[in-house]
Amino acid sequence: MNIKKIFETEDFYQGYTYSYPHKLAYRTVTEKSLSDIWSTQKQDNLFYYVHIPFCEMRCGFCNLFTVANPKEGVKLYLESIHKEMQTYRNELPNLNFKNFAIGGGTPTFLNAEELNFLLDGMNKFGVNTAKYYGSIEASPKTLNQEKIELIENFGIARLSLGIQSWKEEEVKALGRPQNIEDTEKAVNLLTQSKIPEFNLDLIYGVKEQTVESFLYSVEKTINFAPTEIFLYPLYLRQLTGLGKKGVKDNTNRQQLYLAARDKLLSSGYEQTSMRCFRKTGTDYAKNNEEYNNILDGMIGVGAGARSYTSNFHYSTDYAVAKKEIKTIIDKYSQKENYEKIVHGINLDEDEQKRRFLIKSITDGGIFDLSVYEKTFKSNPYNEFEILNYLMENELMKEVKNNIFQLTLKGMCYEDVIGPALYSSKTVNLINQYSWK
């Protein structure tokens, strides 16, 4: 691999790597039981994730595991989540959770009664929503005062709201369901709430979006003083609404990103990753540092949710098309036994090393060389050419003894660094995936 050539393209947008390996690399595996999977793994410092695969509308860019406006099956699905949680508790009675996230889809698609049922079940399972740091995702059209009060009562520390743009024409171009009035109402409710932290998402790279129009959205977002602002580049993927329409990538993404980044940095926000800008002077809420997302495991509950151990990742099957997703959800909701796992991927030592580096270097991570050497008994600078390139070109620096982080310049290349660390084996599996 010619590392220099990869970076000299000046193209920031090879692919977003928030986890590794991607679910496109998962396959059918020999049946495994939960007790076998977790028998040699730490179970005292886990992350809990629950997946709600429902939205009021499928956005044009969305390739998430979700279906729009289901007419039936929500109650059965939530009851199945309870059953799966109980299965975990029966099989693994010593599970202890320190962080959690409720994602989707759109968790606030659930009505207040359904949301209460979900959150109450989590607490009974052992996910203390008031004690540990957790986040829930929402959309403007599905968020109201009743649901905000419910989220407050359960002590959830953070709410993430996808607004994407304050320009009506850009919202429509993205295939988003909300109008600007809905968005403003929802954000105002958040600013007046007792939820300690809230995040607002924006997307750049929309068709015919200009620096001026994107900065308008950035500036308006800043005015609400959210704890975090995330800037997501628009990626056009197979089987999504925009992908089916043949919409082309906006070649202006880099210019849009840099203009917005500079605006945020001069407006009281500090950059913690390529996507995340955090209000200066704010600290992560309670106990956020207890969970180590590189070394600690994760239990994912629900159709589409992933679970991680140090050497095995698993989930239900993956799909993007509505019919296929619905089939997977229905199959999940009708299961009698959640104890057997048949879909996932084994991670050998090389894949574990690559995951360690990806999770450490990208997405606001901290690369601890001492921990890597202790874990793998090797020096990554002798194994991965890209690390030397990052240091030599001032894309990464040592911030204290054996602790490394991307520089401001380096953060621009997170979507290059992640894919550059993929193994050829994982790339082949992804390329061989049959989209459905």
Side-chain angles (χ1 to χ4, degrees):
M1 179 187 296
N2 189 330
I3 298 298
K4 183 179 179 182
K5 186 175 181 181
I6 291 172
F7 284 88
E8 285 182 347
T9 63
E10 290 293 329
D11 179 6
F12 295 168
Y13 306 105
Q14 302 297 319
Y16 179 25
T17 308
Y18 61 89
S19 183
Y20 180 82
H22 193 280
K23 283 174 70 175
L24 294 175
Y26 292 19
R27 295 292 188 271
T28 300
V29 296
T30 302
E31 185 177 272
K32 301 172 183 282
S33 69
L34 292 178
S35 55
D36 287 342
I37 291 168
W38 286 94
S39 62
T40 60
Q41 302 293 317
K42 285 176 57 181
Q43 299 179 27
D44 61 344
N45 209 53
L46 299 174
F47 192 99
Y48 174 84
Y49 176 78
V50 60
H51 188 75
I52 305 301
F54 309 122
C55 295
E56 76 273 22
M57 178 179 172
R58 188 76 179 264
C59 299
F61 58 86
C62 179
N63 72 331
L64 297 177
F65 188 92
T66 186
V67 292
N69 199 26
K71 304 301 181 187
E72 56 185 14
V74 174
K75 184 175 184 291
L76 180 60
Y77 179 80
L78 295 176
E79 290 171 348
S80 298
I81 283 176
H82 276 238
K83 290 178 184 177
E84 186 177 9
M85 289 191 292
Q86 187 58 52
T87 300
Y88 268 104
R89 187 52 71 189
N90 293 343
E91 297 295 321
L92 307 169
N94 297 318
L95 294 178
N96 188 32
F97 299 98
K98 291 298 176 70
N99 276 37
F100 66 92
I102 306 162
T106 308
T108 51
F109 173 84
L110 303 177
N111 62 39
E113 181 182 353
E114 292 164 341
L115 188 58
N116 183 79
F117 179 75
L118 174 72
L119 296 174
D120 184 59
M122 285 171 54
N123 278 273
K124 289 175 179 175
F125 178 48
V127 182
N128 192 325
T129 55
K131 183 178 181 181
Y132 292 110
Y133 185 86
S135 183
I136 185 169
E137 296 175 8
S139 68
K141 199 171 181 180
T142 63
L143 192 64
N144 58 34
Q145 186 61 39
E146 184 181 17
K147 293 176 190 177
I148 285 178
E149 289 175 1
L150 188 61
I151 291 165
E152 291 172 341
N153 291 339
F154 275 94
I156 296 174
R158 179 179 180 273
L159 187 145
S160 180
L161 187 70
I163 59 176
Q164 319 314 351
S165 175
W166 290 102
K167 288 284 189 178
E168 197 83 55
E169 61 273 19
E170 292 178 1
V171 172
K172 289 179 180 177
L174 287 166
R176 290 285 290 179
Q178 85 270 7
N179 57 43
I180 300 303
E181 185 179 347
D182 290 334
T183 303
E184 193 140 16
K185 181 179 178 182
V187 177
N188 279 321
L189 286 174
L190 270 180
T191 61
Q192 297 160 22
S193 76
K194 297 174 184 176
I195 300 172
E197 300 189 4
F198 72 97
N199 161 71
L200 300 179
D201 291 341
L202 295 173
I203 282 183
Y204 61 96
V206 185
K207 184 179 179 182
E208 298 182 3
Q209 188 177 45
T210 65
V211 169
E212 291 72 26
S213 70
F214 189 45
L215 285 179
Y216 170 83
S217 289
V218 171
E219 290 167 0
K220 182 159 183 173
T221 303
I222 291 170
N223 289 338
F224 290 102
T227 318
E228 293 175 333
I229 297 173
F230 272 67
L231 305 182
Y232 284 97
L234 177 61
Y235 278 107
L236 299 173
R237 298 180 174 98
Q238 293 188 51
L239 302 184
T240 62
L242 296 180
K244 289 177 182 177
K245 290 179 180 178
V247 176
K248 302 299 182 184
D249 282 336
N250 187 327
T251 56
N252 205 27
R253 284 180 297 184
Q254 185 171 324
Q255 184 184 8
L256 294 166
Y257 164 72
L258 293 174
R261 180 199 69 177
D262 292 347
K263 179 64 183 176
L264 286 162
L265 293 177
S266 65
S267 301
Y269 284 81
E270 57 186 355
Q271 188 170 13
T272 63
S273 74
M274 181 179 180
R275 286 161 175 74
C276 180
F277 295 80
R278 190 167 181 88
K279 197 174 178 184
T280 304
T282 57
D283 295 322
Y284 285 109
K286 34 187 180 171
N287 297 315
N288 189 43
E289 299 304 321
E290 289 196 27
Y291 175 76
N292 185 317
N293 72 343
I294 301 167
L295 298 177
D296 293 331
M298 182 172 92
I299 299 290
V301 172
R306 303 185 233 211
S307 297
Y308 303 144
T309 73
S310 63
N311 57 8
F312 182 62
H313 295 183
Y314 60 94
S315 72
T316 59
D317 199 359
Y318 178 77
V320 177
K322 177 181 178 180
K323 182 179 178 181
E324 297 291 342
I325 292 174
K326 187 177 184 306
T327 298
I328 294 170
I329 292 171
D330 289 345
K331 185 177 179 181
Y332 169 85
S333 298
Q334 293 161 12
K335 283 178 72 171
E336 295 294 330
N337 186 345
Y338 295 89
E339 194 262 333
K340 302 296 184 183
I341 302 302
V342 297
H343 189 75
I345 187 168
N346 292 294
L347 278 67
D348 60 22
E349 186 175 69
D350 179 64
E351 296 289 34
Q352 291 174 41
K353 288 178 178 179
R354 292 173 185 277
R355 181 178 186 272
F356 187 105
L357 293 175
I358 289 170
K359 298 288 284 184
S360 298
I361 296 171
T362 66
D363 238 12
I366 295 173
F367 173 39
D368 190 323
L369 177 60
S370 299
V371 174
Y372 183 98
E373 291 178 331
K374 181 180 178 181
T375 304
F376 299 112
K377 308 295 187 294
S378 63
N379 186 326
Y381 286 92
N382 296 331
E383 300 170 301
F384 297 94
E385 178 191 352
I386 187 173
L387 299 182
N388 297 300
Y389 183 91
L390 294 176
M391 294 297 292
E392 291 165 4
N393 290 274
E394 299 182 343
L395 299 177
M396 187 167 70
K397 65 180 180 181
E398 188 172 13
V399 292
K400 54 184 177 181
N401 189 36
N402 281 334
I403 302 295
F404 299 82
Q405 280 185 294
L406 293 180
T407 62
L408 201 63
K409 179 182 177 184
M411 288 180 194
C412 296
Y413 290 96
E414 284 187 18
D415 285 9
V416 177
I417 296 166
L421 282 163
Y422 287 18
S423 70
S424 58
K425 179 171 64 175
T426 291
V427 170
N428 287 336
L429 284 169
I430 290 172
N431 290 338
Q432 292 164 12
Y433 175 79
S434 179
W435 286 85
K436 55 183 182 293

